[in-house]
Amino acid sequence: MAHIGIMDVSGIQPYLFRTPLLREIAQRSASLEAMARRPDGLFAGAFAEAGANPLALAGGIASATADGPEALREAFGVISRAMIESGSGLDAAAVVAPYEAGRLAEGYSSAVQLLERRKLTAPRSVAASFPGLDAPAPTTVETPAGAGAQAMGNGWEMPAELDRMILEGFRTRPDGAEEPERAGLMAVVCVDGLGMGSRVIRWLTDAEAMDDESFRAEFSGWSEAVKRRWARAWDGAIEALAQRFDADDGALRHLHTRERSLRPRTAAGRRQLPCRRIYQGGDDLTFVCDARIALGLTADLAARLEQPAEEKTPELFRSLTVSAGVLFVDAHYPFGRAVALAEEVRVRAKRRATAEAGSSTPPSCIDWWVNREGALHCTERKGSCKPYRLRTDPGAEADVGWDLLESRVLAGLWNVLGGARNKLKDLAVAVETGPASVTELVKKRPLPGAGLAACVPDGFDRATGFAADRTPLIDAVELFDIHFPLAEEVPE
């Protein structure tokens, strides 16, 4: 009788981030990708050797079919044993279940439900131990291709050292001389697809009428298309970032305070790209970058994922929305903890997206947290408008998305305050206290030009920037020194 097997790997984040070194994290990420997704990797090889037919390999989830249960059990045993013997700490829960010929869609759905129950009860090991024997030491494996520094086009290189990723900042003095700006913040970014689980359930429901071969072809087709979509969005975003530096004599100049600029570091004659993808699973991605380009790069990535796909994929998977969490932290902060905190921030963005979705597709939402003090627990700022939609909803009252925060609120502050550092500090204190304090501040120390009115979006009080107890000024003041716009022209 036909059988289907599904396996879910756990322990991926502890495996990746038990080391603070970017080079080692990149090596582990490359080895994980080679093991799970390459045609000659562990998963595909185990299925082929056992005579099972793979359905899909995506991140830490693998599925296959076979004429009987033995081939699937053999393949899962080979994979599990290899992970244990490597000392990686990776673990897996698996299920093998029969299904009626011609009803593969129904069999897959039932197997997924069984797997979810199995994951709740299956024991999880963090190290292998045998009676009378010590746990095996981690095996030394050859570094997979792509784990170190990666050469790119036009003299760029994706670095494997975190220090090379932090851009060099400069400020041009009135006499034309440049002086360096101190900077040591990195950003760890977690991005995850929204509503993928519900989309898969809806697709499986529609697929119940398919014959087995049609189900296999369409399932493999759209799952591979989703993986390609994430890869192309990332490649397009970093290519656009590199072009942005190339467009201005190798420097990224601030659109609103042109005396400030950023330049990439160099190593062996190659410019170091200020970002590095750490891990990409089925519909989630983690990357690290210089803090000053983090929000722009994340917004660009999210916008590319939202664009309708060119592939002939089911309607459900042609446009992807995401939740994104950005953690700003000192470059020497423990990497594993930084990823965990970035994930907490991403969950806040997901909550807003889910709350606004209703019966429609959840909108892409972004949140961030500036953790200069190296705190171990995520906190929220009272009065903040975070999390932000990727784009402002024109039909919502007092709504400001990331697009409007950058192009109106932040741009307004940069233009109004310029280099007036004392006024910025006073405004930061006032907006934290409330609208009455902002009114008093502006009365005592009027801002030049249109003042706050130049910064405040529709729906917020022009005099104070508040709507009830919320104001985007809190978030704009927080990002004033951190964020560099990636747009090539000043918005009109």
Side-chain angles (χ1 to χ4, degrees):
M1 186 176 186
H3 279 67
I4 184 170
I6 307 177
M7 182 187 67
D8 186 17
V9 178
S10 65
I12 291 176
Q13 287 206 358
Y15 169 63
L16 290 176
F17 305 121
R18 68 176 60 163
T19 172
L21 301 178
L22 182 60
R23 181 181 295 273
E24 293 184 15
I25 293 171
Q27 179 176 343
R28 293 179 182 186
S29 179
S31 65
L32 185 64
E33 184 165 348
M35 176 181 73
R37 294 174 58 181
R38 282 177 46 175
D40 58 348
L42 171 63
F43 289 10
F47 287 140
E49 184 69 23
N53 302 309
L55 265 177
L57 304 176
I61 299 180
S63 58
T65 60
D67 292 335
E70 294 79 9
L72 295 167
R73 290 170 182 161
E74 178 184 341
F76 290 154
V78 168
I79 295 170
S80 179
R81 184 164 56 250
M83 290 192 297
I84 291 175
E85 291 176 351
S86 72
S88 63
L90 294 171
D91 207 342
V95 64
V96 176
Y99 70 92
E100 293 184 25
R103 304 182 68 175
L104 178 55
E106 184 179 325
Y108 184 90
S109 298
S110 299
V112 168
Q113 295 175 24
L114 287 173
L115 180 62
E116 291 302 315
R117 291 199 291 269
R118 177 69 56 83
K119 286 160 62 175
L120 294 175
T121 59
R124 287 287 197 256
S125 62
V126 294
S129 60
F130 304 93
L133 296 176
D134 293 331
T139 56
T140 301
V141 296
E142 182 179 353
T143 301
Q150 298 178 19
M152 303 171 62
N154 203 21
W156 286 96
E157 181 176 79
M158 190 171 292
E161 305 292 341
L162 190 57
D163 290 344
R164 294 180 180 177
M165 194 176 298
I166 304 300
L167 294 158
E168 295 181 304
F170 297 91
R171 185 179 294 272
T172 303
R173 298 200 308 247
D175 61 3
E178 288 186 333
E179 58 183 21
E181 283 189 323
R182 292 181 59 188
L185 284 182
M186 70 173 179
V188 178
V189 185
C190 292
V191 186
D192 195 19
L194 288 167
M196 286 300 294
S198 60
R199 295 185 199 195
V200 172
I201 291 172
R202 287 164 59 191
W203 180 82
L204 286 172
T205 301
D206 295 339
E208 287 185 358
M210 292 183 185
D211 60 76
D212 289 359
E213 288 307 311
S214 297
F215 174 85
R216 181 185 298 276
E218 187 163 321
F219 182 29
S220 298
W222 69 251
S223 62
E224 289 298 318
V226 168
K227 287 190 289 186
R228 289 196 302 270
R229 186 67 182 279
W230 280 84
R232 289 175 183 173
W234 170 255
D235 291 343
I238 62 172
E239 181 180 350
L241 176 64
Q243 290 175 351
R244 182 65 187 87
F245 280 93
D246 292 336
D248 207 346
D249 299 326
L252 176 64
R253 301 193 181 279
H254 201 295
L255 291 181
H256 306 282
T257 55
R258 298 291 290 180
E259 70 273 11
R260 294 184 64 196
S261 61
L262 300 174
R263 293 192 180 92
R265 299 181 186 275
T266 59
R270 302 191 72 86
R271 292 177 294 175
Q272 305 296 290
L273 198 70
C275 61
R276 174 86 189 219
R277 182 175 60 183
I278 300 300
Y279 172 74
Q280 190 218 324
D283 66 334
D284 63 285
L285 183 148
T286 300
F287 68 91
V288 61
C289 63
D290 184 286
R292 291 161 289 187
I293 53 95
L295 286 166
L297 181 58
T298 303
D300 185 21
L301 175 69
R304 292 173 186 275
L305 287 167
E306 283 195 1
Q307 295 171 2
E310 297 178 0
E311 298 97 339
K312 294 181 179 179
T313 54
E315 181 69 29
L316 284 169
F317 305 102
R318 288 180 186 170
S319 178
L320 306 177
T321 58
V322 300
S323 58
V326 182
L327 177 75
F328 297 105
V329 71
D330 185 270
H332 301 289
Y333 190 86
F335 217 110
R337 185 59 187 162
V339 173
L341 289 175
E343 181 65 14
E344 287 185 30
V345 178
R346 186 201 64 78
V347 169
R348 297 195 313 210
K350 181 177 181 179
R351 289 196 194 104
R352 171 167 184 181
T354 303
E356 294 195 3
S359 59
S360 61
T361 302
S364 292
C365 288
I366 298 174
D367 198 359
W368 66 88
W369 180 39
V370 181
N371 184 14
R372 293 183 185 272
E373 295 78 20
L376 298 177
H377 300 285
C378 189
T379 58
E380 299 185 43
R381 300 184 72 179
K382 182 180 179 182
S384 165
C385 288
K386 296 187 292 186
Y388 282 81
R389 296 168 59 109
L390 181 64
R391 282 180 291 277
T392 302
D393 182 358
E397 179 69 19
D399 180 65
V400 53
W402 166 252
D403 58 342
L404 195 56
L405 180 72
E406 182 184 47
S407 64
R408 176 68 183 271
V409 187
L410 265 168
L413 279 182
W414 284 320
N415 291 330
V416 167
L417 296 177
R421 309 301 304 166
N422 290 334
K423 286 188 177 181
L424 175 66
K425 293 177 181 178
D426 291 341
L427 180 60
V429 173
V431 295
E432 287 280 3
T433 307
S437 295
V438 175
T439 301
E440 183 178 355
L441 171 67
V442 174
K443 183 177 180 180
K444 290 182 177 179
R445 302 185 63 186
L447 297 176
L452 283 185
C455 316
V456 179
D458 294 339
F460 293 84
D461 184 3
R462 297 287 184 187
T464 65
F466 277 78
D469 59 349
R470 299 167 59 250
T471 175
L473 291 175
I474 286 180
D475 307 314
V477 167
E478 181 179 60
L479 295 178
F480 190 88
D481 283 328
I482 298 176
H483 178 62
F484 261 66
L486 296 183
E488 297 183 13
E489 297 180 356
V490 177
E492 295 182 359

